[in-house]
Every structure is written in C-alpha cells, then in structure tokens.
Amino acid sequence: MTKTKRKLARIAASGVVLGLTLPLAGAAAPVAAAAAASTASGQGAAGHAEPLVWGTCEGSGLDPRQECATVDVPMDYSDPGGQRIGIAVSRIPAEKPAARRGALLMIAGGPGGGSLDEISGKGQTLPQEVRDAYDLVGFDPRGVGRSAPVSCGLDRGDLALTRFWPWPAADGSVAANMATARRTAAACERNGGELIRHISSANNARDIDRVRAALGERKLSAWAVSYGAHVGAVYRELFPHRTDRFVLDSNPDGTGALSHGQFPRGVWAGFEAGVEDVFPEFAKWASAPGNPYRLADTQAEVRPLFLRLAERLDRDPPPWPGANPAELNGNVLRQSMVYALYEPDDFPALAQLILAARKGDAPPAPEQPPEPLLQNGIAVAEATFCNDGDWPRSSAVYQGEVARSRAAYPLTAGMPRNATACAAWPRYPKQDPVRITDGGPSATVLLVQNERDPATPLAGARAVRAALGHRAVMVTVNSTGHDAYLGNGNACGDRVVSRYLATGERPVRDTYCR
C-alpha cells in the first residue's frame, strides 16, 4: 500500500483514533452476487451452522485465491429471531493443507476499518509457515463497508477531521465542540437507521463467533490490531473456550485506566501520553544535521517551534483552497502532527508542512477520500464509542478537563478530553461494557506493543496486560509508531509473534525487544 493510500486509510477509517495503517473502510472489493447470496446463520456458540458456500470476490488487485461469502447474524442479539444483517467474509485457504491448523482471523483497527481484503495485502506479509498453517480470514465488521454499511449523512463541514477529532477552539472553549456533537448525534439518529443502535465492541465479538461457527472451526486464532485488539480481548472474554492463538497488536486501553474507568474515553485520553512519547523522536529527526527538511539546530528547539507556529496559525491561518476546512489553522497543524507520528516514514511530510506554514504558505490540498467512505467510517466510529460507554452530557465537565489537559499536555491542546458526538448521543438501551479480566481456561494471548505509539500508548497496553493477568504475555518493542507486528516494530518482536502463531511457543514471561 502506498503512503498516500495509507494516509487516506487513516482518514477514511474515521481518522481512526486507534488503528491507523488500515485498508480504506468500505473500499474492499464488492462481494460477488453469488457469494453474497450464500449465507450462514452461525447458530450458537458450539459451532452448529450451515457451511459457507464460497464465491468469487469482485475487484482489482486481489489475490486470485481470495474467496468471499456472507454470514447472517442478528442485528440485535437480545432479539435473535429478529432482523438479520450480513457480515461480509473473505478467505485464502492455508497454503500447505497437510500442515493446516485452523483459521487466522485478521481483525482490523478503527473503529471503522475492515479486513475483508487485508488477507490479499497485509496478510501476505505473514511468514510462510503461518500462511501454510492457517486459512487467512478477513471480514468487514457490522456497519462497515460490505457489512450493512451505515452513514450519518453529515454536512461537509462536519466531515472535517478537525471536527471528528474534538479539537477545542484556540482559546480552549468547548462550545463549538458541543454544537458539533449535537449536530452529529442528531444526524446519526436521523439517518443511521436501526443498526447504528447495535454497533458495539461486544456485538462485533459476537459476530466474530458467528463467523467462527460458519467456518466450521471449533476454535479461532486471530491477529488483531489497535481497536481490533480491543475487540479481540472482548472476544476472549465472551468466548474463552473458542480462543486459540490470539495476537493483540498495538493495544488501546480496554480497561479505562487512563480515563474514568471506561474504554472509549480512555482511548481518546491515551493521545495525551502517546503524542508526548513519540514527539521527541520527531524532534530528534527534525534537528539532525544533513536532513533536507531540518527545522532547528537542536532537538530541544523543535517543540517550542511547533507550539509557537500552531498558536500563530490559530490567530492568522493562511487559506487552503480545496481542503476541509479551507484554511491551515492551528488545529489542522496539530491534527497533521498526530497523523504523522503514526509512522516515522511520515515525518518528512509533517516537516514540509511546518516549513511551508512558517512562510505563510499552504501546500497543495491533500487528496480527499471519497465522501461515502468518510461518512461510513465516522458513523461507525461514533456509534462504537458512544454505544460502548456512558459519556458526560455537561459542557462544564468537558471544559474543566480540557483546561487541565491543555496545561499538562500542550501538544494535544485538550483534544483528548473534549466532547465528541457521545456528549449528545441518544440514550439507547445499552448492555454493560465487557470488562477485561484474567478469567478463562488457558493462557492463549500474546500482546505486542511498540514502546512509543501515539495512538495506543504503552501505559494503556500495560493496563490491558495487567487485567489479563496470567492469561497473557506482552512483548514490548523498542520502536516508534503504531502497528507493531510486521509494521513499525522490529525484527525481534516480529520473530516472537511469528513463532507463536506458527508453533504456539510464547515467551515464559514478559519480554523486551531491543
């Protein structure tokens, strides 16, 4: 995947607060009509289901071995006999049938991302012994892409990523964020249909178990990344006896340890520490002699330079025709900084933006993803975060938290503690969130985590590791960026994870990969 496509993937998957390096949400190849017609009920946790009838996947650039089907699931699991929706599933069979162990499900990040076609791309980076042993399986979660996609029908202005990411006003006011929250929540209630009430991490996990049953597998292995890692942890909690080898990669704080004991708010709060963990690496790179995009003579100068520039752009933003918003303001710069910290390979693009902005210029407007993808990604993200927890309704609560965050973490300017659409989300009946614990029949989980990750910081991953107790082992990788295994990690971490998937061998204790 090219850098441009990866950047668009981040945007199209709702600006993913969690899992970036995703495929374009909803951009997976259409499922062939014949495949879409072949469904499985996935009845019951014990795996009693009609076998899937696989068909050809339409689209370009796919591995010719990839095949597609649809699994039929309840829209509302409290009413299993009610309305059904289809979960689009894909498969590439194990390359060495004699060595086949089972199915390895790829669970993408987001919320808002899907793995339907990841098996033809990212999945092919898995080592041969893993591809020999497993059918690679992908899917679009409910509401995403080819799985009954939802949309809130937002106005173009509310599709700006500096609206979805809740950056406060230049003076720290949250009034505009509360207004955006009310508009977005009302649009989602008006246009999102019944399904938007039933998009949640727990229901994603339940859908996965229906997929497992339809595949005819007694147990399921998984490579779950970012938000997908949280879904994987929830699946292990709900279906511990169906969990085989689970790799949880780039883990968000699924325990709520970083914020008020709730998963969704803790995810946003994680950006405070995550950005602070990674920015020094950017500063070191941006001050290195010989760097054609050098910003300062010393590492220590880069941070105040960035903060001063963002404040200047708050006051006097240059126009940015074709962008959304159509100006290069301070929050656009801050948002660009957060995105760039996901991958060190994106540091040059951030430096070029800073250099242009210091001159009072703006580069050509970035390529925009198709609006339907953006609408879909934002709708799924908002629904997931809002349905997964209870959020304050009072602007005074957010105003106080934003003020404290701005003082302690100026790079993120209060954004991680601000109001999202969840501050005005309709009060649908909700089940209690699934709590991550150390219960379960066996130790089947391997966490892999970069030491410096802007979106899922090490502190949050450690909280998940502690909650899982003796059921898990964590590999901490001395690396920078999001998406550790076969991504922005290192060879040591990759070897440990590959060995576990291929042989079941895990480190006997938590491990540090230099």
Side-chain angles (χ1 to χ4, degrees), residues 429-445:
K430 298 179 183 178
Q431 297 178 345
D432 291 336
V434 176
R435 189 168 66 90
I436 307 303
T437 72
D438 61 356
S442 61
T444 59
V445 179

Side-chain angles (χ1 to χ4, degrees), residues 72-246:
D72 190 45
V73 304
M75 177 185 291
D76 180 357
Y77 277 92
S78 69
D79 181 20
Q83 188 173 348
R84 319 287 287 185
I85 58 172
I87 302 298
V89 180
S90 61
R91 178 181 71 172
I92 294 177
E95 295 182 26
K96 191 174 181 180
R100 184 186 182 278
R101 174 181 176 78
L104 178 68
L105 182 70
M106 298 181 68
I107 310 177
S115 61
L116 194 66
D117 284 352
E118 278 196 334
I119 62 172
S120 286
K122 185 177 179 180
Q124 297 308 303
T125 67
L126 287 161
Q128 187 65 51
E129 59 267 28
V130 176
R131 289 182 282 120
D132 285 345
Y134 293 98
D135 297 345
L136 301 185
V137 178
F139 75 110
D140 278 349
R142 56 172 53 209
V144 174
R146 292 286 161 180
S147 296
V150 296
S151 170
C152 294
L154 299 178
D155 293 338
R156 184 175 185 275
D158 287 334
L159 291 174
L161 270 299
T162 48
R163 292 275 178 88
F164 170 76
W165 293 67
W167 296 97
D171 63 357
S173 170
V174 306
N177 303 103
M178 291 297 292
T180 298
R182 289 189 289 271
R183 287 195 306 275
T184 300
C188 290
E189 185 176 24
R190 184 171 61 250
N191 302 319
E194 179 66 20
L195 177 57
I196 208 162
R197 300 170 175 241
H198 304 289
I199 293 174
S200 68
S201 298
N203 281 343
N204 286 337
R206 294 181 180 105
D207 291 345
I208 287 172
D209 202 58
R210 296 297 177 114
V211 169
R212 175 203 57 77
L215 292 169
E217 300 291 334
R218 187 175 64 88
K219 290 188 175 184
L220 193 65
S221 295
W223 174 17
V225 183
S226 195
Y227 168 69
H230 177 65
V231 175
V234 171
Y235 181 85
R236 193 212 68 89
E237 201 68 38
L238 294 177
F239 305 100
H241 294 277
R242 300 296 174 190
T243 303
D244 195 10
R245 298 172 186 170
F246 262 51

Side-chain angles (χ1 to χ4, degrees), residues 302-466:
V302 176
R303 181 188 178 96
L305 178 155
F306 177 86
L307 293 173
R308 287 195 302 269
L309 178 60
E311 290 173 359
R312 194 190 88 194
L313 295 176
D314 284 337
R315 297 188 303 269
D316 186 22
W320 205 359
N324 186 15
E327 62 179 24
L328 179 50
N329 59 42
N331 284 339
V332 169
L333 180 68
R334 296 178 184 102
Q335 183 67 61
S336 300
M337 176 267 296
V338 173
Y339 276 149
L341 298 186
Y342 277 85
E343 291 193 55
D345 285 350
D346 287 342
F347 287 179
L350 175 60
Q352 291 177 73
L353 180 62
I354 291 171
L355 290 169
R358 291 176 72 186
K359 297 177 182 177
D361 298 328
E367 184 180 354
Q368 296 294 306
E371 183 174 317
L373 300 188
L374 201 52
Q375 292 276 11
N376 182 214
I378 289 178
V380 173
E382 300 287 20
T384 305
F385 289 132
C386 300
N387 293 337
D388 266 16
D390 293 319
W391 294 69
R393 316 289 282 192
S394 167
S395 61
V397 172
Y398 295 105
Q399 191 65 72
E401 293 193 14
V402 164
R404 290 186 289 273
S405 181
R406 286 166 68 85
Y409 303 96
L411 287 171
T412 46
M415 178 274 294
R417 303 283 179 171
N418 203 357
T420 69
C422 304
W425 200 252
R427 295 186 184 276
Y428 302 134
K430 298 179 183 178
Q431 297 178 345
D432 291 336
V434 176
R435 189 168 66 90
I436 307 303
T437 72
D438 61 356
S442 61
T444 59
V445 179
L446 178 66
L447 287 76
V448 59
Q449 185 73 32
N450 281 349
E451 195 167 12
R452 297 168 296 278
D453 182 327
T456 56
L458 184 58
R462 284 175 169 161
V464 177
R465 166 68 187 89

